[in-house]
Amino acid sequence: MPLLEVADVSVRFGGHMAVEAATLSADAGSVTGLIGPNGAGKTTLFNVICGLVSPVHGRVRFDGDDITGTSTHQRARRGLARTFQRLELFGSLTVLENLQVAAEIPRRERRAPVATRVDAAVEQCGLGPFLHRRADVITTGQARLVELARALVTEPRMLLADEPASGLDSSETEHFGDLLARLAADGLGVLLVEHDVSLVMKVCSRISVLDYGKVIATGTPAEVRADQRVVQAYLGVPVEAPT
Amino acid sequence: MTELVEFTVLGLVLASVYAVAASGLVVTYTTSGIFNFAHGAIGMMSTFLFWQFTVGWDMHWALAMFIILVGIAPAFGWIVDRVIMRGLANTSEVTRIVVPIGLLFALLSLAPLIWRPTENRLVPPIFGRQLYDVLGINVTRHQLVVVAIAVVVALGLRFLLFKTRSGVAMRAVVDSRELTQLNGASPGRSSALSWALGSSLAALAGILIADQVGLEVLALTLLVINAYAAAVVGRLTSLPLTFLGAGILGLAQSYAVGFMPDTPAWLAERGIEASGALRTAIPVVMLFIVLLLVPHAPLRGGGIQRSREAAVRPDLRGSLIGFAVVIGVTVVLSGMLTEANLVAWGKGFAFALIMLSLVPLTGYGGQISLAQLSFAGIGAWAVATWGTNGSPLGLVAAIVAAAAVGAVIALPALRLRGIYLALATLAFAVFMERAVFTQQAVFGGSKPVSRPQFGPLELTSNRAFVIFMAVAFCAVGMGVVLLRRSRFGRRLQAMKDSPAACATLGMSLTTTKLMVFALSAAIAGLGGALLASLQRLASPANFDLLHALPILLLAVAGGVALVSGSLFGGFMLASFAIVPGWIPEGWEIAGFNARNSFSNLLLLLPAVLGVSLAHNPNGAAHEIGQQVRGVLARVRGATGEDEPDMVLPPRNVETLGVDRPLRDEDIAAVDTLLGLDEEVIGAAARSR
C-alpha cells in the first residue's frame, strides 16, 4: 500500500478548476516526481495534501488513514512535512533557531532529544557554516537546505518538496538531488515538484504529469518521457504545415 | 405600521451617512493597503471646520462645503499619504495599523486645543427642516438630501472606478502594484488620490451627521466604528456590500431605538441595564459578529518577509542590570518625590505593565490587540471585588480573571489576522467600555480598592507600594525576557514570521495563540489591578478607548518587542502628569498659561511618536539601546567582546557606503548578494 494516496481530488478557485479529479500516490523509500507546466496545479495539489487548501471533491489518505478533514498541523504530526516554492523560513530567527522551533514542537511518540535531531539535520544538510546567521540574509541555495533540514528534524515519513531547485545553480541542484536520493534510500518518501526535468529524471523512480489540473500520465521516467500527451503538454500540439 | 415606516426612514438616513463614511474607508484601504483608523477623526476635524466657516465666520454653507470637500479635506488626505503613509512600505502589519491610530489620536488631541470643549456649538441641518410627506410620515428636507447624497456617492464611485482612467489605475494597484507601475501608471499617485478622496468622503459624512450627533470630538470620531462595521461586511474591498452593511446597521440601530424592549426587571434589580447597553453597542456587536462570519483567506505561504523591524533577543545580563537599576532608582527617588509625583511614578509602572502585556503578544507573536486596557479594567474590577481588606487573593483574581476573559475572547478571534484581528479587539474594547464597565453591577460608578498586604509586609504607604510595583514590573519583565529565550518564545517568533510554515511543521496555531492571548491578558490584568490599588479606586474612566489609544501608541513607539520599550512608554505616559508641574504656576508665554499649554502639547506626544513609527519602526528603546551600545563599543575600543545580542534586518545594497561607514549588517548583506558564505570568506582571508 502506498504511504500517500491522493484520490480523485478537485479544487476550485471561484470559477476556475485548479485541480480536476487528480489521482496519484507516493511510496515510502522512493522519490516520486510531480511535473507539469506552470499553472498546472502542482502547488495547489501540495496545499491540498498538507491541508492548506480544502478540495471540493476527493480524498487524501496517509498510511491508509483518511486525512482529508484533518488540520494542517495534525497531518504534520502524522509525519507529513513540506518545503515551499516561495521560501517560508522564519526570517527573524537564526538558522539554528529555525531548526530548533521545528524540532521542539511536541509529538505524542517518543523521539530522540531535540539537540540530537537538530545536530543530525545540520550535519546531513551541511548547514554548519551559516548556522548562526539570520535566516533572511542567507542565499537562496542555503535557504533551500535550511527548509529541508527544518522539515527533517520533525522526523517525517513523507516529504513534499516544492521546487527545491528553483534559484539554485547547477552544482547546488546536483548536490540537492543527491541529498534527496540519500534520504529516500534511508526510507523517507519524497514527493517532488520540480521544473528541472533532468533532476526529476535522475532521482525519481516514478513520475506523475499534471496539466490543466489533470493527471495526464504516470509511470517511470522512461515511460513518461515517451508519452505523447506529456510531450504535447510541454511543447504544444504540432500544427500541420500548410500545403 | 406608521411607526415601522418612521423608524425605517430614520434608519435609512443613518445608513446613508454610514455608507458615505464607509465607502471612503474602503476606497483608501483597497488602493493604498492601509486601513485608515483616522477616517472618523478627519471627518470630525472637517465638521468643526465647517462650523467655524458657517457659524463662526458666517460663510454660506455651500461655499464652506465646497472649500472643505474639494480643497482642505482632499489636500489633507494627499499630504497624509505623501508624508506619513508612504513611509510604511516594508514595515510590519503592527506598524501599518499603529501609525494611522497615531494620526487618529493626534487629531483627537488637537481639536479641543483649537475648539475649546467648554463652548456649546451647534450645526443646524444644512438643508433645512422643511417637512415633506413620504409614505405618510414627515421627513425633513435634510434627511431626504442625505439619502440622495448617498445614492450620488454610490453612482459617482462606480463611475470613477470603472469608467475613468484614474479609477481603473486605482483598481489595478489593488491587484498588482508592480504590474500597474510597469504599465505606466503611478501607484503612488493612485494611492494619494485615494487618500484625498477618502478624506473628502469622511468630511462629507461628518458634516451630514453633525446635526444628529452634535459637535462633540469623541462622538464624531468614534462614529467611524459604525463605518468599520459597514466596511467589514464588504470585506473592506466591495463597495456594494459596504452599502448593504451600512443599510443593515442603520436599520438595526433605528429599530433598536424604536422596538427593543426595556431591560427585564429581574436584571435591572441586579444593577444590569441590558437594553440601553445593547443599543449603544450595536455597531461593535455587528462588527464583531461580521468579522467572525466573513470568510477569510486561508493560510498561504507568502515568502520570507523582509521587514525593516529588527528582531531582538534580549540578553540576560543586561536585563538583570537594567531591572536592578530600575528598582534602585525607585527606592532612592521614592524618598525624595512629593506624594503626588510618587503616585505618578507608580502609575508609570502600572502603564508599563499594561504595555508589557503587548511584548509577548505583539512584539514576539505578531498578534495585534487594541483591548489590553479592557483586560486591565477587568483586573481592576477583580482586585476591587476580591481584594477586600488587603487580601493578596485580589491580585491573583485579577490575573486569573483577565487571563480567562483573554482566552475566551481569543477563541473566536483565533482565525483572524492583521487588521481584522485589530478591529475585532477594538470591537471588544468598545463593547466593554459601553456595555459592561458602565453597569451598576460592575463598577457602579467606581469601587474602592484596598492595597494588598503580604503577611507582615504593609504596603499602605505610597512609597512602599510604588517600590512593590517596581519589583512586580521587574519580575514580570524578567519573565518576559526569559520567555523570549525559551521554546515558547521561539514558537511565537516563528508564528509571527510564517504561520503557514508553523502549521506544516505540526505547530497548533490555535493553542499557541490562545496561550499568548491569555498570558498577555493576565499581565494587563495585573497592571490594571496595581493601578487601581495605587489609586485605591477602580473606576471605568481609566479604562476607556481614549486612554487605550496612547497606551498602544507609546508601547509600539517605545519598542513593542522590548521590555525596556514598555518601561519607556509607561513612564512617558506617566510623565505627562509630572512634567507640567515643574513649570511655575502663573507663567505666561505670549498670553497663554505656560503650564496648561505645555500640558496640552504633551497630549500630542503619543500621537507624534506613533506617527513617527513610519520612519523608525523599531521604537525609541531600540534606538536608545543602539546609541548606548555604540558609545560602549567606542569606549571599549572595538575589541569585539560583548557583541550586541541583536540581529538586524538586511539593508538594501543601494544604500551602502554612500554617506556613512559600513556596518556589520551591510557587509552581511553584500555577502548575501554575492552568495558568499563564511567558508568562502574564511578561505579568502586565509589566502590573504
Side-chain angles (χ1 to χ4, degrees), chain B residues 411-433:
Chain B
L411 265 179
L414 284 177
R415 51 192 284 276
L416 305 177
R417 291 196 298 272
I419 182 67
Y420 291 103
L421 183 59
L423 285 174
T425 51
L426 174 76
F428 171 73
V430 178
F431 179 80
M432 292 301 282
E433 177 192 332

Side-chain angles (χ1 to χ4, degrees), chain B residues 307-334:
Chain B
S307 147
R308 274 160 53 203
E309 278 91 338
V312 181
R313 193 163 179 268
D315 76 308
L316 279 181
R317 201 184 61 173
S319 305
L320 277 173
I321 294 172
F323 291 133
V325 169
V326 168
I327 295 174
V329 167
T330 305
V331 170
V332 174
L333 215 59
S334 58

Side-chain angles (χ1 to χ4, degrees), chain B residues 327-384:
Chain B
I327 295 174
V329 167
T330 305
V331 170
V332 174
L333 215 59
S334 58
M336 295 149 66
L337 291 173
T338 63
E339 286 297 306
N341 284 348
L342 195 53
V343 171
W345 188 264
K347 277 187 183 175
F349 284 116
F351 294 145
L353 256 176
I354 299 168
M355 293 180 193
L356 183 64
S357 72
L358 283 167
V359 174
L361 184 72
T362 310
Y364 301 165
Q367 307 297 308
I368 297 161
S369 165
L370 299 181
Q372 295 312 100
L373 202 60
S374 307
F375 298 129
I378 292 165
W381 166 78
V383 82

Side-chain angles (χ1 to χ4, degrees), chain B residues 191-265:
Chain B
S191 142
L193 193 64
S194 76
W195 274 86
L197 185 61
S199 297
S200 202
L201 288 168
L204 180 60
I207 293 169
L208 290 180
I209 206 169
D211 76 303
Q212 287 189 45
V213 180
L215 259 185
E216 211 271 303
V217 174
L218 198 59
L220 274 173
T221 304
L222 292 188
L223 261 186
V224 76
I225 290 174
N226 306 19
Y228 297 163
V232 167
V233 174
R235 291 173 71 183
L236 303 181
T237 48
S238 157
L239 280 173
L241 285 176
T242 298
F243 273 73
L244 177 72
I248 294 172
L249 179 60
L251 289 174
Q253 276 192 304
S254 186
Y255 291 151
V257 171
F259 308 113
M260 192 186 277
D262 286 338
T263 306

Side-chain angles (χ1 to χ4, degrees), chain B residues 105-475:
Chain B
F105 195 68
L107 298 177
L108 208 53
S109 312
L110 192 64
L113 299 186
I114 306 173
W115 295 282
R116 290 226 312 270
T118 44
E119 202 176 313
N120 206 8
R121 295 181 189 82
L122 279 177
V123 175
I126 314 159
F127 307 108
R129 294 184 210 274
Q130 195 180 339
L131 291 174
Y132 292 88
D133 188 317
V134 177
L135 298 171
I137 63 149
N138 286 330
V139 183
T140 66
R141 184 156 71 182
H142 182 78
Q143 290 173 325
L144 282 178
V145 176
V146 166
V147 177
I149 285 177
V151 175
V152 170
V153 165
L155 296 175
L157 283 177
R158 170 88 200 170
F159 179 80
L160 173 79
L161 291 175
F162 287 85
K163 300 284 180 208
T164 67
R165 204 182 149 79
S166 300
V168 171
M170 277 161 79
R171 281 169 47 223
V173 172
V174 182
D175 289 338
S176 168
R177 210 177 168 84
E178 288 78 20
L179 276 180
T180 318
Q181 206 158 15
L182 284 174
N183 281 299
S186 156
R189 194 175 154 271
S190 293
S191 142
L193 193 64
S194 76
W195 274 86
L197 185 61
S199 297
S200 202
L201 288 168
L204 180 60
I207 293 169
L208 290 180
I209 206 169
D211 76 303
Q212 287 189 45
V213 180
L215 259 185
E216 211 271 303
V217 174
L218 198 59
L220 274 173
T221 304
L222 292 188
L223 261 186
V224 76
I225 290 174
N226 306 19
Y228 297 163
V232 167
V233 174
R235 291 173 71 183
L236 303 181
T237 48
S238 157
L239 280 173
L241 285 176
T242 298
F243 273 73
L244 177 72
I248 294 172
L249 179 60
L251 289 174
Q253 276 192 304
S254 186
Y255 291 151
V257 171
F259 308 113
M260 192 186 277
D262 286 338
T263 306
W266 61 273
L267 270 180
E269 279 163 16
R270 288 170 175 75
I272 297 171
E273 214 294 273
S275 289
L278 201 59
R279 257 182 227 128
T280 52
I282 283 177
V284 283
V285 172
M286 171 165 159
L287 178 60
F288 199 77
I289 293 174
V290 174
L291 280 169
L292 299 184
L293 292 183
V294 289
H296 291 281
L299 279 183
R300 288 280 164 78
I304 299 181
Q305 301 301 316
R306 293 189 175 221
S307 147
R308 274 160 53 203
E309 278 91 338
V312 181
R313 193 163 179 268
D315 76 308
L316 279 181
R317 201 184 61 173
S319 305
L320 277 173
I321 294 172
F323 291 133
V325 169
V326 168
I327 295 174
V329 167
T330 305
V331 170
V332 174
L333 215 59
S334 58
M336 295 149 66
L337 291 173
T338 63
E339 286 297 306
N341 284 348
L342 195 53
V343 171
W345 188 264
K347 277 187 183 175
F349 284 116
F351 294 145
L353 256 176
I354 299 168
M355 293 180 193
L356 183 64
S357 72
L358 283 167
V359 174
L361 184 72
T362 310
Y364 301 165
Q367 307 297 308
I368 297 161
S369 165
L370 299 181
Q372 295 312 100
L373 202 60
S374 307
F375 298 129
I378 292 165
W381 166 78
V383 82
T385 309
W386 286 294
T388 43
N389 300 324
S391 163
L393 274 181
L395 289 184
V396 178
I399 293 169
V400 173
V405 178
V408 169
I409 199 64
L411 265 179
L414 284 177
R415 51 192 284 276
L416 305 177
R417 291 196 298 272
I419 182 67
Y420 291 103
L421 183 59
L423 285 174
T425 51
L426 174 76
F428 171 73
V430 178
F431 179 80
M432 292 301 282
E433 177 192 332
R434 290 185 185 173
V436 179
F437 290 162
T438 48
Q439 299 289 346
Q440 194 65 26
V442 182
F443 280 113
S446 61
K447 267 178 168 244
V449 179
S450 56
R451 288 186 183 162
Q453 202 178 336
F454 300 94
L457 190 64
E458 289 265 347
L459 297 174
T460 42
S461 79
N462 279 341
R463 186 178 182 203
F465 194 71
V466 169
I467 293 172
F468 168 70
M469 288 177 88
V471 173
F473 172 82
C474 292

